[in-house]
Amino acid sequence: MPLKTPGQRNAAKRAEAVRDSLSQELDRRAVVLRAAAARDTIRLDSVYTRIALRDSILRDSVARELRFAIHGVSDEVERWLTGVRGIAATKIAFVDGTKLKIIDSDGANERTLPTVGAALSPSWHPSGRYIVYCDADDRGTRIAQFDLRTMRTQLLGASSRGLNITPVYTKDGKSIVWASGGDSPAELMLASANGSDSLSVPFVGRSGFETTSPSFSPDGKQIVVMSPRPLTPQLYIMNVDGTGLRLLTPVVAGKRSYRTGADWSPAGDKIAFQQQAGDFQVWVIGVKDRVMTQLTNEGENEDPSWAPDGRHLAITRRLGAIGDPRGIWILDERTGRLRRLTQTNGDARLSDWSPPLRPAF
């Protein structure tokens, strides 16, 4: 019906303006509600994703530890059958490029540990909780300790940046011994493993000649080290108080030899090492009779580390030319059998075998 009076027409215009205003307000509120719904959806999806990820990590961790617990049972069965505990419930620490990694002794569960700088020369604590290593950057190396429970690194205040290499724990796990040098030849230093020392002290006093790569006897009373005397690196044994220093590896006049990287066997009767006469190869020498036995001959093989069973060794192995990738292999000292542990095409080296470990739950 047409509007006849000006009042009716004005009223209609006002009503139309109110309807337009209400429509715009409803549209605005719809936009706000849609945005809020989208934010809620994103937040819920994010929460769900975090919960799912955390659940996945937890399940993976439990599965990993359960697998490790089963390995511990099998090790005890092996002890009951043979008198020697198995090595299934052990891990091997190594360096891949600049990264510190650990892996189960059967090659499963390879993990990268978050270090401060580049990592070198890892060595296990007797308890299996910590790994000591050299933390390297452009200013040099410093001794660091990684806690496998907290997944954190502690840099030792007793080692300032410079030349700090080849750290190991004493057999009681209370101290760390490493080689430190600079303008003078590198010599063995000692500091508390709890990080409380601000300064290191000489381990056996100043000797005036280079001494590196320490490895303790199983009873902790002796230590084998490398020293370039008389002309090339050789292995020496001494008491932990610095007395009784004696040459272990025989030196033959006119015959070149280069021996380093010693690791004392768990039984205490042998020491594994690497010898260079062309390529590096892995050898063992009897502590008492000093009879040397070559264990490898193909490719280049270095860095031997004994398993707790005293039969197997983790070694660094390269089968190609210099510059080709290296990997960690497991060597059976009795049979000479070899199996590859690391499967990546990186540069895996400098391995150290853990003591028997327990699952974390």
Side-chain angles (χ1 to χ4, degrees), residues 61-77:
S61 176
V62 170
R64 208 166 41 233
E65 296 303 326
L66 179 59
R67 178 178 183 274
F68 210 67
I70 295 171
H71 283 178
V73 173
S74 72
D75 287 348
E76 289 302 325
V77 171

Side-chain angles (χ1 to χ4, degrees), residues 135-209:
D135 188 272
D137 64 18
D138 293 339
R139 297 166 294 167
T141 52
R142 188 173 177 182
I143 304 303
Q145 182 172 234
F146 190 88
D147 188 330
L148 288 161
R149 288 187 189 172
T150 64
M151 298 298 286
R152 293 181 178 177
T153 295
Q154 176 190 29
L155 296 174
L156 262 63
S159 66
S160 56
R161 290 286 177 188
L163 178 62
N164 299 281
I165 56 175
T166 61
V168 294
Y169 290 99
T170 53
K171 284 299 177 179
D172 60 9
K174 295 180 180 179
S175 301
I176 297 171
V177 176
W178 73 95
S180 179
D183 296 333
S184 57
E187 296 187 278
L188 299 185
M189 306 300 291
L190 177 142
S192 173
N194 64 20
S196 60
D197 292 341
S198 58
L199 296 173
S200 59
V201 297
F203 176 59
V204 292
R206 295 294 182 184
S207 59
F209 57 88

